[in-house]
Amino acid sequence: MRNGTFAISDFYEEAFRAFNGKRMMPEIDVRFYPYIGINHTIRVREGRVFVRIAEICREMPPIGHQALAFILVAKLLRKKVPQHAREIYSRFIKTQEIREKAAENKRARGRKVVSTHKGVVYDLRKIFERLNRDYFRGSIPVPVLSWSARKTYRILGHHDSTHETIIISRSLDACDVPKYVIEYVVFHEMLHIHHPTQHRDGRRYNHTPQFRKDERKFAYFEEAERWIERNVRKLKKNAKRK
Ligand SMILES: [Zn+2]
């Protein structure tokens, strides 16, 4: 994969050579991923090395990509991360983070403070902000975020476009519910803002193929679906017992 004038994969080959010497060079697949925020992943599958770099780092200068390559390859091979690589990379990330924060604050300014986003365990506002940053490049305008008044089990989330409100079932505000499950439900409702309802032939289309495709970009899509399938009935039973 080329980024302007340099090939990022060259840096990974360089890092492999530095750590592994003359051992065989694996095939390396480097790509940017839109949904990992400021995290990156490297893993080996069937002898090939897959590197996924957060989209936010696309504009990183070559020296930053080189540093990141040495960090990720060191981690993969369980070698010590070179100090200079760590320094260069963290310097870049800090400026990036500060820029993101500033943009976020700018967006948040002037908006009404909503008091119902804070649950007993989870804060919907925090979850929304992180998802917005990691998956939407901060492009989703902050809606009213609120936990539902009652614990509902059939409907876990709801987006009301008239009042630009996202309501999440209070049944999920519990410590035995993994964070990625709430994130997934919030993410789904955010996609409704991202993909407004389409009207065709007098019918409404909410979950368009593009919507479903984007839904799968959530990092824990499968896990969250599975958890909901297995646990929502259990949550309901527990609640009735109390
Ligand atoms: Zn929906």
Side-chain angles (χ1 to χ4, degrees):
M1 178 193 59
R2 301 197 74 84
N3 197 22
T5 53
F6 61 98
I8 291 174
S9 54
D10 289 350
F11 294 134
Y12 287 82
E13 288 185 9
E14 186 189 337
F16 268 99
R17 264 194 303 275
F19 289 117
N20 254 355
K22 291 203 165 53
R23 296 249 292 279
M24 210 179 67
M25 182 66 65
E27 207 180 304
I28 303 167
D29 180 290
V30 184
R31 272 181 226 178
F32 288 107
Y33 254 49
Y35 59 85
I36 311 178
I38 223 149
N39 301 312
H40 321 285
T41 60
I42 187 167
R43 64 204 165 88
V44 181
R45 218 172 52 198
E46 288 161 15
R48 283 178 74 189
V49 176
F50 293 86
V51 179
R52 297 292 177 259
I53 302 170
E55 178 65 36
I56 193 176
C57 289
R58 192 182 277 276
E59 306 304 327
M60 192 156 63
I63 192 172
H65 277 293
Q66 187 185 34
L68 180 58
F70 273 78
I71 291 168
L72 292 179
V73 173
K75 281 188 179 155
L76 181 73
L77 300 175
R78 301 207 172 135
K79 308 271 184 177
K80 197 166 179 287
V81 174
Q83 187 60 30
H84 70 277
R86 202 192 293 276
E87 277 166 17
I88 290 167
Y89 174 73
S90 70
R91 209 181 309 142
F92 172 79
I93 283 305
K94 262 182 214 143
T95 57
Q96 193 73 22
E97 258 173 352
I98 287 163
R99 226 179 299 153
E100 286 268 300
K101 263 241 157 66
E104 224 168 71
N105 291 343
K106 206 173 162 191
R107 278 192 298 272
R109 216 175 293 144
R111 286 209 177 81
K112 263 184 272 171
V113 181
V114 185
S115 54
T116 48
H117 59 85
K118 256 200 169 131
V120 179
V121 182
Y122 293 109
D123 185 338
L124 292 173
R125 182 64 181 257
K126 279 192 188 140
I127 286 170
F128 173 90
E129 274 168 4
R130 207 178 71 80
L131 291 168
N132 201 13
R133 190 189 65 212
D134 290 359
Y135 292 90
F136 301 96
R137 308 185 121 216
S139 67
I140 307 282
V142 186
V144 176
L145 292 156
S146 181
W147 292 101
S148 62
R150 289 182 334 122
K151 289 187 176 183
T152 56
Y153 297 94
R154 207 171 58 79
I155 293 171
L156 298 178
H158 173 69
H159 169 242
D160 175 350
S161 61
T162 315
H163 304 99
E164 214 45 84
T165 300
I166 287 179
I167 309 280
I168 304 297
S169 172
R170 200 170 281 280
S171 64
L172 298 177
D173 184 28
C175 44
D176 52 354
V177 178
K179 195 173 181 191
Y180 66 78
V181 171
I182 296 123
E183 285 179 338
Y184 174 60
V185 176
V186 174
F187 181 70
H188 177 101
E189 302 311 328
M190 288 170 80
L191 282 177
H192 280 304
I193 301 177
H194 191 62
H195 295 286
T197 305
Q198 289 183 21
H199 300 266
R200 267 200 314 269
D201 311 321
R203 290 179 72 173
R204 294 158 53 88
Y205 296 89
N206 282 313
H207 302 115
T208 59
Q210 189 56 47
F211 182 107
R212 290 302 185 195
K213 208 177 133 205
D214 283 353
E215 199 175 29
R216 291 186 161 268
K217 289 182 181 164
F218 182 65
Y220 300 95
F221 174 78
E222 307 276 356
E223 290 91 319
E225 282 274 297
R226 217 176 306 138
W227 191 94
I228 289 169
E229 209 180 281
R230 287 182 188 163
N231 292 282
V232 167
R233 212 176 303 150
K234 203 164 76 192
L235 274 180
K236 189 173 185 173
K237 234 188 277 162
N238 288 347
K240 273 190 179 156
R241 218 173 287 149
K242 272 170 205 164

